[in-house]
Amino acid sequence: VQLQASGGGLVQAGGSLRLSCAASGRTFGRYGWFRQAPGKERQFVATNTWRGGSAYYTDSVKGRFTIFRDNIKNTLHLQMNSLKPEDTAVYYCAAAAGTAYTRTYYYTLSTTYDYWGQGTLVTVSS
């Protein structure tokens, strides 16, 4: 099982980036994106079910970020628009083997996820 993240880079405030995470080895119950800014703890960004249709976002990215999966390429994406300097962080994709929890809350916790990508750096300049 492998998650391979890519797509990070340097962008000006107000710009856009699309992060990708190639998933291989199996299907999953749910996937998500987390981020970790320098000197801070890893933070939940967004999650969705593997089949889609149940996206959930942290308040600070609602209306700006979109989480989705390319079913054909089995690639996870995080489309990030209207980026702000405070979005600067290393972004990680993650996947949970099943959907044991009915409450979305549990999928905002990093400990719920079984597999992780290696992280990709997003830097937003002001």
Side-chain angles (χ1 to χ4, degrees), residues 11-12 14-18 79-83:
V11 64
Q12 289 188 332
S16 297
L17 279 176
R18 176 176 292 187
Q79 177 67 41
M80 306 186 295
N81 299 329
S82 302
L83 283 161

Side-chain angles (χ1 to χ4, degrees), residues 48-49 51-55:
N48 203 351
T49 56
R51 294 185 176 182
S54 299

Side-chain angles (χ1 to χ4, degrees), residues 2-45:
Q2 188 172 19
L3 299 177
Q4 186 74 28
S6 62
L10 174 64
V11 64
Q12 289 188 332
S16 297
L17 279 176
R18 176 176 292 187
L19 303 184
S20 300
C21 180
S24 61
R26 62 164 293 163
T27 58
F28 303 91
R30 202 170 181 107
Y31 65 101
W33 289 90
F34 289 74
R35 65 187 179 187
Q36 189 166 16
K40 295 187 177 182
E41 294 186 353
R42 192 168 296 189
Q43 175 192 31
F44 165 76
V45 177

Side-chain angles (χ1 to χ4, degrees), residues 23-97:
S24 61
R26 62 164 293 163
T27 58
F28 303 91
R30 202 170 181 107
Y31 65 101
W33 289 90
F34 289 74
R35 65 187 179 187
Q36 189 166 16
K40 295 187 177 182
E41 294 186 353
R42 192 168 296 189
Q43 175 192 31
F44 165 76
V45 177
T47 184
N48 203 351
T49 56
W50 196 250
R51 294 185 176 182
S54 299
Y56 181 79
Y57 303 89
T58 192
D59 286 346
S60 62
V61 309
K62 284 180 182 177
R64 300 190 297 124
F65 290 13
T66 303
I67 185 172
F68 64 99
R69 183 173 73 92
D70 182 325
N71 295 338
I72 296 175
K73 297 181 179 180
N74 209 27
T75 302
L76 319 177
H77 295 287
L78 185 69
Q79 177 67 41
M80 306 186 295
N81 299 329
S82 302
L83 283 161
K84 304 175 181 180
E86 52 263 44
D87 294 319
T88 295
V90 176
Y91 283 72
Y92 298 88
C93 57

